[in-house]
Amino acid sequence: MNTVLIIDDDTELAALFGEYLQQEGFGVDIANDGATGLAKALSGEYQLAILDIMLPDIKGTEVLAKIRAESRLPILMFTAKGDDVDRIIGLESGADDYVPKPCTPRELVARIRAILRRVQRDTATSSGPIVAGPLKIWSEKRKALWFERDLELTSTEFNLLETLASHVGHIVSKNELSEKALGRPLARFDRSIDVHMSSIRQKLGTQQDGRSYIQTVRGQGYQMIKA
């Protein structure tokens, strides 16, 4: 059973979502403040955490940053409906995806399952690392090396980079990246892929000539160039 941690100070909403998740076969734990949620998230007992960006004691983004400093636990952020700033800040801080409040329990479960499908790989299907120049990726281990050094990635960043590396030298559309990395079709005006890609670029750095290893192909998608 996958156990989900909900970190939200809205006790009624958290209880509602928790009850629905239990009906869908998930284990659920709830923390109503950031400090408690952070301690629980770092315990290693959960497969995913849902984190509200607005908390009474610590900002959700601060909790997220502290989790990311020590853990790759998949994080789904609750953001204010229609607030692009909250969404971008959450993604830039290392969230795997976001869902705006208010949302339906059904949508929340769909987002959770999409993330977990991408994280929980079947190790029996692996036949060795994906190699794209200085990048090596082991899908079953969720491990990436960049110039023979460990590359620290969120689960969504890993999925995106894995997809690009599998198609090195070829353009991959944003919709395909969204399907494979987030487990859902690309929504209109959704900038999630762009924000995640910006973070990946920062982690990879640039080539000697100053070019990024990942190129934006206007109107088409992204392409990892052959280094």
Side-chain angles (χ1 to χ4, degrees), residues 139-151:
S139 299
E140 77 284 1
K141 298 178 183 178
R142 307 291 291 178
K143 177 181 178 66
L145 292 181
W146 181 243
F147 287 100
E148 300 303 322
R149 294 183 178 181
D150 284 331
L151 188 59

Side-chain angles (χ1 to χ4, degrees), residues 71-82:
S71 171
R72 296 186 184 182
L73 175 71
I75 304 291
L76 179 64
M77 292 287 291
F78 274 144
T79 64
K81 188 173 182 63

Side-chain angles (χ1 to χ4, degrees), residues 12-209:
E12 292 186 7
L13 185 64
L16 172 66
F17 283 141
E19 182 178 348
Y20 190 87
L21 286 171
Q22 288 175 331
Q23 292 174 357
E24 292 294 316
F26 293 93
V28 177
D29 194 6
I30 297 173
N32 296 127
D33 62 81
T36 302
L38 175 61
K40 286 178 176 289
L42 295 177
S43 70
E45 298 177 5
Y46 309 96
Q47 283 67 56
L48 181 143
I50 303 167
L51 174 62
D52 190 9
I53 202 164
M54 298 295 292
L55 293 169
D57 55 338
I58 309 174
K59 290 182 179 179
T61 51
E62 292 181 21
V63 174
L64 175 58
K66 291 178 180 180
I67 293 173
R68 277 291 165 261
E70 300 183 37
S71 171
R72 296 186 184 182
L73 175 71
I75 304 291
L76 179 64
M77 292 287 291
F78 274 144
T79 64
K81 188 173 182 63
D83 194 333
D84 289 337
V85 174
D86 279 354
R87 297 175 187 179
I88 292 171
I89 290 174
L91 294 172
E92 287 180 337
S93 300
D96 293 280
D97 202 359
Y98 68 88
V99 62
K101 293 172 70 175
C103 69
T104 65
R106 184 176 180 180
E107 179 183 4
L108 182 64
V109 169
R111 292 292 182 94
I112 291 171
R113 285 180 171 157
I115 294 173
L116 293 178
R117 277 198 301 269
R118 297 297 303 159
V119 173
Q120 297 165 344
R121 299 297 190 90
D122 182 0
T123 59
T125 62
S126 176
S127 58
I130 299 168
V131 179
L135 176 68
K136 294 180 182 177
I137 289 182
W138 286 266
S139 299
E140 77 284 1
K141 298 178 183 178
R142 307 291 291 178
K143 177 181 178 66
L145 292 181
W146 181 243
F147 287 100
E148 300 303 322
R149 294 183 178 181
D150 284 331
L151 188 59
E152 294 295 328
L153 301 166
T154 68
S155 61
T156 297
E157 290 171 355
F158 184 96
N159 297 336
L160 286 169
L161 192 56
E162 178 189 28
T163 302
L164 290 174
S166 300
H167 299 81
V168 65
H170 299 278
I171 300 169
V172 184
S173 70
K174 285 187 181 181
N175 192 63
E176 182 177 354
L177 287 168
S178 184
E179 289 276 10
K180 292 186 176 181
L182 300 178
R184 58 179 173 83
L186 184 68
R188 192 179 183 186
F189 305 124
D190 190 343
R191 294 187 56 196
S192 301
I193 297 298
D194 300 318
V195 177
H196 286 303
M197 206 64 71
S198 175
S199 176
I200 294 171
R201 282 171 164 160
Q202 291 179 11
K203 292 177 180 181
L204 298 183
T206 59
Q207 301 183 79
Q208 291 183 350
D209 61 5

